[in-house]
Amino acid sequence: MTKTDKTKQLVGEEVVDYIKDGMKVGLGSGSTMYYMIKKLGDRVKEGLDIEGVPTSNTTAEWAKEFGVPLTDFSKVQELDLAIDGADEVDPNLQLIKGGGGALVREKIVAASAKSFYVIVDESKMVTYLGNFLLPIEVLPFGWEVTANKISDFGCEPKIRKSKGEPFITDNGNYILDCNFEKIAEPKKLHEELKSLVGVVETGLFINMARKVMVGKDEKVDVIDQS
Ligand SMILES: O=C(CO)[C@H](O)[C@H](O)COP(=O)(O)O
């Protein structure tokens, strides 16, 4: 296991301590979440009574594998806590997410939770968002037009591919990865991009994270939203 994987495991396991009996929990996506779901499965086997709402088909598969009971929004409207990884976190706890292509479901789940906690290794902490390509989920119809409109904001959108074909999200859409490099005003950029026809959602998570847990070597730093 690499040092980064060990750090992801540390922070992924530690966040499970915040999950209490009776909670409905949003389960994010990505490799850090893998460790969280595995640990949560251990707690469920010990008697912890919770239900999770997954943000991706992969997360749902992991939950089934580790014995974490699942529910969905037809049965529960508000979650007690959502937990997820991130691709970048700035000093104001604004995020870029969507490296795994699950950003729309991740945002719906985070927005439906009373609290949203983010778990990352320290490589994700940045001064400015944008070094990581910003994922934007778009409708397949007319995606070339949407990409052209997005490029007016100062980037060159690239359609995400998998095995030479466009990557298809769990919602049947495409992802455009956009090289903004330095996003000085994340909230403004998010709002402007969202106003474009064809944009389903951006990977900018603005004012959503209540707590960010940062794994560093052998310890976890906890940053609360001020
Ligand atoms: O946003 C995400 C998926 O859409 C993930 O949370 C993000 O990519 C972090 O992944 P990892 O924990 O594997 O570093």
Side-chain angles (χ1 to χ4, degrees), residues 21 62 106 114 121 144 149 169:
D21 247 0
W62 289 340
E106 289 171 343
K114 287 184 222 163
D121 65 89
E144 299 92 337
K149 293 218 158 81
T169 70

Side-chain angles (χ1 to χ4, degrees), residues 28-29 68 80 114 121 139 147 150 160 163 168 183 225-226:
S29 299
V68 175
D80 298 289
K114 287 184 222 163
D121 65 89
L139 290 174
I150 290 172
R160 190 177 295 183
K163 294 177 190 151
I168 311 283
I183 300 176
Q225 194 184 60
S226 48

Side-chain angles (χ1 to χ4, degrees), residues 38-149:
K38 193 163 187 275
K39 184 75 177 177
L40 184 57
D42 292 343
R43 291 283 156 82
V44 168
K45 284 185 195 98
E46 291 160 12
L48 183 71
D49 176 24
I50 58 100
E51 283 183 315
V53 173
T55 54
S56 64
N57 296 337
T58 302
T59 290
E61 280 164 23
W62 289 340
K64 281 176 199 145
E65 181 182 344
F66 297 123
V68 175
L70 294 179
T71 186
D72 60 53
F73 286 126
S74 70
K75 301 186 190 77
V76 54
Q77 298 283 296
E78 187 181 57
L79 306 177
D80 298 289
L81 177 61
I83 298 170
D84 206 342
D87 298 301
E88 282 187 344
V89 180
D90 82 2
N92 298 314
L93 307 192
Q94 316 295 23
L95 318 173
I96 286 184
K97 286 187 49 53
L103 64 102
V104 174
R105 294 188 188 194
E106 289 171 343
K107 204 177 270 194
I108 291 171
V109 166
S112 72
K114 287 184 222 163
S115 294
F116 176 44
Y117 293 179
V118 174
I119 50 174
V120 290
D121 65 89
E122 65 179 330
S123 70
K124 308 290 184 67
M125 303 305 290
V126 297
T127 308
Y128 285 98
L129 300 177
N131 192 36
F132 190 90
L133 301 180
L134 176 67
I136 302 177
E137 185 157 334
V138 299
L139 290 174
F141 182 84
W143 72 267
E144 299 92 337
V145 180
T146 310
N148 198 26
K149 293 218 158 81

Side-chain angles (χ1 to χ4, degrees), residues 148-167:
N148 198 26
K149 293 218 158 81
I150 290 172
S151 71
D152 291 345
F153 290 85
C155 67
E156 288 170 37
K158 292 267 180 306
I159 187 162
R160 190 177 295 183
K161 296 225 169 148
S162 170
K163 294 177 190 151
E165 296 297 319
F167 170 87

